[in-house]
């Protein structure tokens, strides 16, 4: 692959243009304050239209996207999103709406909210949803505010603790803290599931509720969920479900039936909105019937969330229909188990057994370490995958394992793609065993090899300075 690294300013040639404007027939404005007038022309790149098109098209290809390759990013569900949903979201009749328009002119949009509310309620077993939150974490905060409101309304002011398993997504304890609640961690057993005996020790009248995701972050189904929910309910707490990753459950199991009272979904993960680069998102929050009033009192955004994302989700659900939604669950679980079984003789699988939509390896079985040469790490494997045209899985998360590699293939990949990924992962394992030093420098074929990720995030260079 050829990469073009010239910056657009370096392509600039004096007097070259990519446009022609009509002759200006208006006189220059007079009387503008001196200080507000520009003294010299702005320094903009002077380039032709083909230069601009090639420049930005090439830039777009320097990044990795699900439209160019397999992207097995655990806990993030980077599945293929059907293009028709983009077309629907871009239709002028939807894209041109303004939230302050008269209700009589926005009946179609209201119908979308109503229809999606009904569909999500049915998929999850909740009673009703709010579409205000604009991300998963925003939904968690909203849900916890509802939880707090519920206890306050009952005059139950002493409930400040939220129980979170040690395998939880980092946003769970963070949202509870932001909501002013106290986070209490409950340990997992060696089999990766919540230690119910340890949980019992924590339950008293200071508990506001428990946050869980099921299947949990290790991709394992919490098979004692019924018991856990009834223990938390018995002590007066509520059950919060982190439904960011609804793929494995869709059409098969419902959080409402597992005993959860409040939940959020990530429409941008499960329901067909591309979400690399951090947005836009939508984290609708659903509640059981007894919490309907509390939901009505919480407002977390100016209007009604990210309508474009909501629209894509509704189109996606209607297009799949009931039967095909259930296949999302089945296929995503099948794909994850297939990849796991085909790789577990070369990668360390700390918790064996059937998984749901994702699973976690703890690095390589043979990392090639020997005298003077450190072994290949999870980071090395992740970087090497780029040389073979695959995005890395999620790495070093969850924190339960030191070399975590979290793989989520999703339901949208063909067996051929999965087989090719398996082949490459095995090849990398063999490379690690024979030549780990080569992996320390990977990737070898990308325009940027290994940036200092902390510096890149803390000190981004966003401005071109003319030399
Ligand atoms: C992605 C994710 C979140 C957070 O969602 P954002 O939209 O990134 O805020 C929360 N929980 C789990 C399990 C997730 O995978």
């Amino acid at each position: 692959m050829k990469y073009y690294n010239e910056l657009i300013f370096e392509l600039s040639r004096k007097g070259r243009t990519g446009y022609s404007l009509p002759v200006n027939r208006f006189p220059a404005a007079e009387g503008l304050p001196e200080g507000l007038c520009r003294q010299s022309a702005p320094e903009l790149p002077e380039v032709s239209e083909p230069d601009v098109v090639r420049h930005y098209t090439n830039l777009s290809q320097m990044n990795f996207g699900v439209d160019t390759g397999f992207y097995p990013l655990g806990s993030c569900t980077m599945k293929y999103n059907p293009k028709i949903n983009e077309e629907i979201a871009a239709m002028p009749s939807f894209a041109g709406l303004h939230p302050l328009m008269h209700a009589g002119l926005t009946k179609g949009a209201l119908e979308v909210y109503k229809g999606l509310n009904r569909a999500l309620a049915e998929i999850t077993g909740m009673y009703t949803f709010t579409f205000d939150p604009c991300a998963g974490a925003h939904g968690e905060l909203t849900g916890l505010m509802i939880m707090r409101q519920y206890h306050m309304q009952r005059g139950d002011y002493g409930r400040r603790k939220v129980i979170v398993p040690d395998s939880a997504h980092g946003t769970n304890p963070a949202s509870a803290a932001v909501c002013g609640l106290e986070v209490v961690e409950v340990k997992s057993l060696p089999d990766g599931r919540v230690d119910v005996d340890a949980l019992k020790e924590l339950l008293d009248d200071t508990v506001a509720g428990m946050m869980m995701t099921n299947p949990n972050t290790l991709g394992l189904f919490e098979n004692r969920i019924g018991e856990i929910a009834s223990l938390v309910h018995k002590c007066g707490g509520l059950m919060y479900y982190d439904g960011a990753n609804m793929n494995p459950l869709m059409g098969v199991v419902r959080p409402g039936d597992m005993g959860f009272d409040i939940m959020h979904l990530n429409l941008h993960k499960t329901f067909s909105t591309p979400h690399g680069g951090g947005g836009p998102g939508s984290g609708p929050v659903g509640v059981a019937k007894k919490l309907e009033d509390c939901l009505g009192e919480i407002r977390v955004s100016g209007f009604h969330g990210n309508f474009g994302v909501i629209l894509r989700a509704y189109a996606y659900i209607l297009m799949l229909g009931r039967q095909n939604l259930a296949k999302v669950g089945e296929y995503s679980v099948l794909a994850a188990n297939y990849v796991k079984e085909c790789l577990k003789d070369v990668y360390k699988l700390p918790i064996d057994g059937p998984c749901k939509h994702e699973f976690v390896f703890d690095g390589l079985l043979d990392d090639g370490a020997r005298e003077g040469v450190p072994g290949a790490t999870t980071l090395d494997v992740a970087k090497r995958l780029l040389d073979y045209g695959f995005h890395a899985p999620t790495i070093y998360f969850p924190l339960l394992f030191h070399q975590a590699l979290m793989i989520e293939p999703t339901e949208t990949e063909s067996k051929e793609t999965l087989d090719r990924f398996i082949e490459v992962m095995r090849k990398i394992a063999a490379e690690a065993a024979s030549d780990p030093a080569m992996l320390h420098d990977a990737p070898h074929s990308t325009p940027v090899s290994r940036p200092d990720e902390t510096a890149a995030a803390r000190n981004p260079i966003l401005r071109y300075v003319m030399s």
Side-chain angles (χ1 to χ4, degrees):
M1 198 185 300
K2 183 171 180 339
Y3 290 104
Y4 297 81
N5 286 318
E6 292 107 325
L7 294 161
I8 192 100
F9 282 95
E10 288 158 2
L11 297 172
S12 183
R13 295 293 176 273
K14 191 115 204 82
R16 189 171 290 169
T17 60
Y19 65 88
S20 64
L21 293 177
V23 178
N24 179 13
R25 282 191 242 122
F26 299 99
E30 280 177 28
L32 285 176
E34 190 65 15
L36 293 183
C37 292
R38 193 184 262 291
Q39 300 307 316
S40 58
E43 292 186 77
L44 295 174
E46 298 181 73
V47 286
S48 67
E49 181 173 324
D51 284 344
V52 174
V53 169
R54 285 181 195 149
H55 176 73
Y56 285 107
T57 306
N58 285 319
L59 269 187
S60 77
Q61 290 172 359
M62 287 170 71
N63 208 343
F64 196 99
V66 80
D67 282 355
T68 48
F70 181 48
Y71 206 138
L73 198 66
S75 191
C76 291
T77 313
M78 298 299 279
K79 64 185 184 182
Y80 177 76
N81 302 298
K83 291 289 171 265
I84 183 142
N85 299 328
E86 299 305 308
E87 280 175 34
I88 290 171
M91 280 162 68
S93 45
F94 287 122
L97 291 176
H98 189 280
L100 292 179
M101 270 162 89
H102 186 270
L105 298 172
T106 54
K107 287 255 161 73
L110 295 176
E111 187 58 38
V112 169
Y113 280 103
K114 219 169 88 191
L116 183 60
N117 201 342
R118 256 197 321 263
L120 295 183
E122 176 143 0
I123 290 169
T124 60
M126 291 290 130
Y127 179 70
T128 187
F129 276 81
T130 168
F131 292 95
D132 285 6
C134 295
H138 201 194
E140 290 170 26
L141 177 63
T142 309
L144 290 163
M145 287 163 76
I146 293 168
M147 185 185 283
R148 201 178 52 184
Q149 182 76 4
Y150 169 79
H151 294 305
M152 299 285 224
Q153 268 183 7
R154 295 154 55 94
D156 205 349
Y157 300 111
R159 295 188 181 268
R160 316 287 311 164
K161 285 189 196 147
V162 175
I163 300 174
V164 180
D166 57 4
S167 65
H169 194 268
T171 50
N172 290 185
S175 302
V178 169
C179 194
L181 297 164
E182 189 192 325
V183 180
V184 183
E185 194 175 271
V186 59
K187 294 251 163 302
S188 300
L189 290 167
D191 76 351
R193 291 165 177 94
V194 168
D195 181 340
V196 179
D197 291 326
L199 173 65
K200 282 181 190 157
E201 300 289 307
L202 301 172
L203 293 174
D204 59 27
D205 61 3
T206 65
V207 170
M210 177 167 186
M211 295 180 89
M212 277 182 80
T213 183
N214 192 20
N216 67 24
T217 302
L218 297 169
L220 302 169
F221 195 80
E222 298 276 359
N223 31 30
R224 294 177 74 179
I225 187 61
E227 188 186 351
I228 292 172
S230 82
L231 284 168
V232 171
H233 285 148
K234 243 181 236 146
C235 95
L238 295 176
M239 288 294 286
Y240 183 93
Y241 184 76
D242 178 341
N245 313 114
M246 196 62 191
N247 260 24
L249 298 193
M250 243 183 334
V252 183
V253 180
R254 311 193 311 168
D257 298 337
M258 290 187 227
F260 288 94
D261 309 290
I262 312 172
M263 69 173 290
H264 79 269
L265 290 163
N266 276 24
L267 298 187
H268 49 290
K269 285 181 185 166
T270 308
F271 297 95
S272 184
T273 283
H275 63 103
S282 174
V285 169
V287 296
K289 182 147 178 41
K290 66 178 175 197
L291 295 166
E292 190 188 5
D293 295 343
C294 301
L295 175 88
E297 290 178 22
I298 309 283
R299 278 274 156 277
V300 296
S301 62
F303 294 108
H304 302 290
N306 277 325
F307 180 62
V309 182
I310 287 156
L311 188 55
R312 286 177 182 88
Y314 192 40
Y316 174 75
I317 290 171
L318 291 183
M319 265 181 290
L320 284 187
R322 189 184 296 267
Q323 277 182 347
N324 292 318
L325 274 178
K327 283 192 190 148
V328 170
E330 289 168 16
Y331 286 4
S332 64
V333 171
L334 179 62
N337 280 287
Y338 179 63
V339 174
K340 168 173 65 69
E341 290 303 312
C342 292
L343 288 175
K344 71 179 188 184
D345 61 323
V346 283
Y347 290 86
K348 211 180 290 171
L349 182 63
I351 300 172
D352 205 349
C355 63
K356 294 298 166 209
H357 61 306
E358 65 192 3
F359 62 93
V360 181
F361 282 135
D362 188 10
L364 289 147
L365 275 175
D366 177 4
D367 66 5
R370 48 183 184 269
E371 194 71 18
V373 184
T377 62
T378 275
L379 180 65
D380 296 336
V381 174
K383 294 292 183 188
R384 185 66 175 147
L385 274 169
L386 286 167
D387 282 333
Y388 291 111
F390 292 116
H391 195 279
T394 295
I395 57 172
Y396 300 112
F397 176 80
L399 307 175
L400 297 176
F401 309 113
H402 292 304
Q403 292 292 327
L405 256 162
M406 187 185 201
I407 298 174
E408 178 181 359
T410 85
E411 78 284 3
T412 56
E413 301 300 331
S414 66
K415 179 166 179 296
E416 289 71 26
T417 302
L418 299 181
D419 284 338
R420 167 108 182 93
F421 176 71
I422 289 161
E423 184 194 320
V424 162
M425 285 289 281
R426 298 189 70 86
K427 208 170 188 170
I428 294 173
E431 288 173 350
S434 64
D435 185 10
M438 186 271 287
L439 291 196
H440 299 326
D441 302 326
H444 302 279
S445 64
T446 53
V448 177
S449 182
R450 286 204 190 190
D452 176 339
E453 287 169 8
T454 312
R458 299 267 157 80
N459 310 306
I461 300 168
L462 301 174
R463 203 162 63 95
Y464 182 73
V465 181
M466 296 260 194
S467 53

